[in-house]
mmCIF file with all atom_site columns, all heavy atoms in Angstrom:
data_model
loop_
_atom_site.group_PDB
_atom_site.id
_atom_site.type_symbol
_atom_site.label_atom_id
_atom_site.label_alt_id
_atom_site.label_comp_id
_atom_site.label_asym_id
_atom_site.label_entity_id
_atom_site.label_seq_id
_atom_site.pdbx_PDB_ins_code
_atom_site.Cartn_x
_atom_site.Cartn_y
_atom_site.Cartn_z
_atom_site.occupancy
_atom_site.B_iso_or_equiv
_atom_site.pdbx_formal_charge
_atom_site.auth_seq_id
_atom_site.auth_comp_id
_atom_site.auth_asym_id
_atom_site.auth_atom_id
_atom_site.pdbx_PDB_model_num
ATOM 1  N N   . PHE A 1 78 ? -22.544 -5.651  22.929 1.00 0.00 ? 360 PHE A N   1
ATOM 2  C CA  . PHE A 1 78 ? -22.088 -5.252  24.264 1.00 0.00 ? 360 PHE A CA  1
ATOM 3  C C   . PHE A 1 78 ? -23.147 -5.554  25.320 1.00 0.00 ? 360 PHE A C   1
ATOM 4  O O   . PHE A 1 78 ? -22.839 -6.094  26.396 1.00 0.00 ? 360 PHE A O   1
ATOM 5  C CB  . PHE A 1 78 ? -21.751 -3.757  24.261 1.00 0.00 ? 360 PHE A CB  1
ATOM 6  C CG  . PHE A 1 78 ? -21.583 -3.154  25.624 1.00 0.00 ? 360 PHE A CG  1
ATOM 7  C CD1 . PHE A 1 78 ? -20.442 -3.400  26.368 1.00 0.00 ? 360 PHE A CD1 1
ATOM 8  C CD2 . PHE A 1 78 ? -22.585 -2.359  26.177 1.00 0.00 ? 360 PHE A CD2 1
ATOM 9  C CE1 . PHE A 1 78 ? -20.284 -2.851  27.635 1.00 0.00 ? 360 PHE A CE1 1
ATOM 10 C CE2 . PHE A 1 78 ? -22.446 -1.816  27.428 1.00 0.00 ? 360 PHE A CE2 1
ATOM 11 C CZ  . PHE A 1 78 ? -21.293 -2.062  28.169 1.00 0.00 ? 360 PHE A CZ  1
ATOM 12 N N   . ALA A 1 79 ? -24.388 -5.232  25.013 1.00 0.00 ? 361 ALA A N   1
ATOM 13 C CA  . ALA A 1 79 ? -25.448 -5.447  25.996 1.00 0.00 ? 361 ALA A CA  1
ATOM 14 C C   . ALA A 1 79 ? -25.706 -6.929  26.245 1.00 0.00 ? 361 ALA A C   1
ATOM 15 O O   . ALA A 1 79 ? -25.908 -7.360  27.386 1.00 0.00 ? 361 ALA A O   1
ATOM 16 C CB  . ALA A 1 79 ? -26.733 -4.755  25.523 1.00 0.00 ? 361 ALA A CB  1
ATOM 17 N N   . GLU A 1 80 ? -25.675 -7.745  25.188 1.00 0.00 ? 362 GLU A N   1
ATOM 18 C CA  . GLU A 1 80 ? -26.042 -9.150  25.322 1.00 0.00 ? 362 GLU A CA  1
ATOM 19 C C   . GLU A 1 80 ? -24.906 -10.012 25.861 1.00 0.00 ? 362 GLU A C   1
ATOM 20 O O   . GLU A 1 80 ? -25.116 -10.863 26.739 1.00 0.00 ? 362 GLU A O   1
ATOM 21 C CB  . GLU A 1 80 ? -26.497 -9.682  23.959 1.00 0.00 ? 362 GLU A CB  1
ATOM 22 C CG  . GLU A 1 80 ? -26.974 -11.129 23.993 1.00 0.00 ? 362 GLU A CG  1
ATOM 23 C CD  . GLU A 1 80 ? -27.490 -11.587 22.651 1.00 0.00 ? 362 GLU A CD  1
ATOM 24 O OE1 . GLU A 1 80 ? -27.587 -10.744 21.729 1.00 0.00 ? 362 GLU A OE1 1
ATOM 25 O OE2 . GLU A 1 80 ? -27.798 -12.781 22.509 1.00 0.00 ? 362 GLU A OE2 1
ATOM 26 N N   . PHE A 1 82 ? -21.807 -8.883  27.128 1.00 0.00 ? 364 PHE A N   1
ATOM 27 C CA  . PHE A 1 82 ? -20.922 -8.336  28.156 1.00 0.00 ? 364 PHE A CA  1
ATOM 28 C C   . PHE A 1 82 ? -21.695 -7.804  29.361 1.00 0.00 ? 364 PHE A C   1
ATOM 29 O O   . PHE A 1 82 ? -21.486 -8.223  30.502 1.00 0.00 ? 364 PHE A O   1
ATOM 30 C CB  . PHE A 1 82 ? -20.052 -7.227  27.554 1.00 0.00 ? 364 PHE A CB  1
ATOM 31 C CG  . PHE A 1 82 ? -19.052 -6.642  28.517 1.00 0.00 ? 364 PHE A CG  1
ATOM 32 C CD1 . PHE A 1 82 ? -17.793 -7.196  28.645 1.00 0.00 ? 364 PHE A CD1 1
ATOM 33 C CD2 . PHE A 1 82 ? -19.362 -5.528  29.292 1.00 0.00 ? 364 PHE A CD2 1
ATOM 34 C CE1 . PHE A 1 82 ? -16.865 -6.662  29.537 1.00 0.00 ? 364 PHE A CE1 1
ATOM 35 C CE2 . PHE A 1 82 ? -18.452 -4.994  30.180 1.00 0.00 ? 364 PHE A CE2 1
ATOM 36 C CZ  . PHE A 1 82 ? -17.193 -5.566  30.300 1.00 0.00 ? 364 PHE A CZ  1
ATOM 37 N N   . ALA A 1 83 ? -22.613 -6.873  29.103 1.00 0.00 ? 365 ALA A N   1
ATOM 38 C CA  . ALA A 1 83 ? -23.280 -6.187  30.207 1.00 0.00 ? 365 ALA A CA  1
ATOM 39 C C   . ALA A 1 83 ? -24.171 -7.139  31.023 1.00 0.00 ? 365 ALA A C   1
ATOM 40 O O   . ALA A 1 83 ? -24.118 -7.144  32.258 1.00 0.00 ? 365 ALA A O   1
ATOM 41 C CB  . ALA A 1 83 ? -24.099 -5.013  29.670 1.00 0.00 ? 365 ALA A CB  1
ATOM 42 N N   . GLU A 1 84 ? -24.989 -7.937  30.341 1.00 0.00 ? 366 GLU A N   1
ATOM 43 C CA  . GLU A 1 84 ? -25.910 -8.826  31.072 1.00 0.00 ? 366 GLU A CA  1
ATOM 44 C C   . GLU A 1 84 ? -25.184 -9.875  31.924 1.00 0.00 ? 366 GLU A C   1
ATOM 45 O O   . GLU A 1 84 ? -25.497 -10.028 33.113 1.00 0.00 ? 366 GLU A O   1
ATOM 46 C CB  . GLU A 1 84 ? -26.862 -9.499  30.086 1.00 0.00 ? 366 GLU A CB  1
ATOM 47 C CG  . GLU A 1 84 ? -27.871 -8.544  29.461 1.00 0.00 ? 366 GLU A CG  1
ATOM 48 C CD  . GLU A 1 84 ? -28.847 -9.268  28.555 1.00 0.00 ? 366 GLU A CD  1
ATOM 49 O OE1 . GLU A 1 84 ? -28.802 -10.528 28.521 1.00 0.00 ? 366 GLU A OE1 1
ATOM 50 O OE2 . GLU A 1 84 ? -29.642 -8.599  27.879 1.00 0.00 ? 366 GLU A OE2 1
ATOM 51 N N   . PRO A 1 85 ? -24.199 -10.610 31.391 1.00 0.00 ? 367 PRO A N   1
ATOM 52 C CA  . PRO A 1 85 ? -23.500 -11.581 32.256 1.00 0.00 ? 367 PRO A CA  1
ATOM 53 C C   . PRO A 1 85 ? -22.764 -10.923 33.416 1.00 0.00 ? 367 PRO A C   1
ATOM 54 O O   . PRO A 1 85 ? -22.706 -11.491 34.516 1.00 0.00 ? 367 PRO A O   1
ATOM 55 C CB  . PRO A 1 85 ? -22.524 -12.271 31.304 1.00 0.00 ? 367 PRO A CB  1
ATOM 56 C CG  . PRO A 1 85 ? -23.089 -12.054 29.945 1.00 0.00 ? 367 PRO A CG  1
ATOM 57 C CD  . PRO A 1 85 ? -23.752 -10.720 30.003 1.00 0.00 ? 367 PRO A CD  1
ATOM 58 N N   . LEU A 1 86 ? -22.223 -9.732  33.178 1.00 0.00 ? 368 LEU A N   1
ATOM 59 C CA  . LEU A 1 86 ? -21.441 -9.082  34.237 1.00 0.00 ? 368 LEU A CA  1
ATOM 60 C C   . LEU A 1 86 ? -22.343 -8.577  35.356 1.00 0.00 ? 368 LEU A C   1
ATOM 61 O O   . LEU A 1 86 ? -22.039 -8.752  36.554 1.00 0.00 ? 368 LEU A O   1
ATOM 62 C CB  . LEU A 1 86 ? -20.634 -7.923  33.643 1.00 0.00 ? 368 LEU A CB  1
ATOM 63 C CG  . LEU A 1 86 ? -19.571 -7.310  34.559 1.00 0.00 ? 368 LEU A CG  1
ATOM 64 C CD1 . LEU A 1 86 ? -18.487 -8.344  34.867 1.00 0.00 ? 368 LEU A CD1 1
ATOM 65 C CD2 . LEU A 1 86 ? -18.945 -6.077  33.910 1.00 0.00 ? 368 LEU A CD2 1
ATOM 66 N N   . THR A 1 87 ? -23.474 -7.969  35.014 1.00 0.00 ? 369 THR A N   1
ATOM 67 C CA  . THR A 1 87 ? -24.370 -7.448  36.048 1.00 0.00 ? 369 THR A CA  1
ATOM 68 C C   . THR A 1 87 ? -25.133 -8.554  36.768 1.00 0.00 ? 369 THR A C   1
ATOM 69 O O   . THR A 1 87 ? -25.562 -8.378  37.918 1.00 0.00 ? 369 THR A O   1
ATOM 70 C CB  . THR A 1 87 ? -25.368 -6.458  35.419 1.00 0.00 ? 369 THR A CB  1
ATOM 71 O OG1 . THR A 1 87 ? -26.053 -7.097  34.322 1.00 0.00 ? 369 THR A OG1 1
ATOM 72 C CG2 . THR A 1 87 ? -24.659 -5.222  34.919 1.00 0.00 ? 369 THR A CG2 1
ATOM 73 N N   . ALA A 1 88 ? -25.293 -9.704  36.104 1.00 0.00 ? 370 ALA A N   1
ATOM 74 C CA  . ALA A 1 88 ? -26.016 -10.815 36.739 1.00 0.00 ? 370 ALA A CA  1
ATOM 75 C C   . ALA A 1 88 ? -25.092 -11.761 37.502 1.00 0.00 ? 370 ALA A C   1
ATOM 76 O O   . ALA A 1 88 ? -25.553 -12.763 38.049 1.00 0.00 ? 370 ALA A O   1
ATOM 77 C CB  . ALA A 1 88 ? -26.768 -11.612 35.667 1.00 0.00 ? 370 ALA A CB  1
ATOM 78 N N   . LEU A 1 89 ? -23.821 -11.435 37.571 1.00 0.00 ? 371 LEU A N   1
ATOM 79 C CA  . LEU A 1 89 ? -22.850 -12.324 38.207 1.00 0.00 ? 371 LEU A CA  1
ATOM 80 C C   . LEU A 1 89 ? -23.064 -12.393 39.723 1.00 0.00 ? 371 LEU A C   1
ATOM 81 O O   . LEU A 1 89 ? -23.280 -11.365 40.380 1.00 0.00 ? 371 LEU A O   1
ATOM 82 C CB  . LEU A 1 89 ? -21.426 -11.827 37.898 1.00 0.00 ? 371 LEU A CB  1
ATOM 83 C CG  . LEU A 1 89 ? -20.288 -12.608 38.542 1.00 0.00 ? 371 LEU A CG  1
ATOM 84 C CD1 . LEU A 1 89 ? -20.269 -14.053 38.038 1.00 0.00 ? 371 LEU A CD1 1
ATOM 85 C CD2 . LEU A 1 89 ? -18.951 -11.919 38.263 1.00 0.00 ? 371 LEU A CD2 1
#
Side-chain angles (χ1 to χ4, degrees):
F360 166 75
E362 183 177 354
F364 183 89
E366 291 183 6
L368 191 64
T369 54
L371 177 63

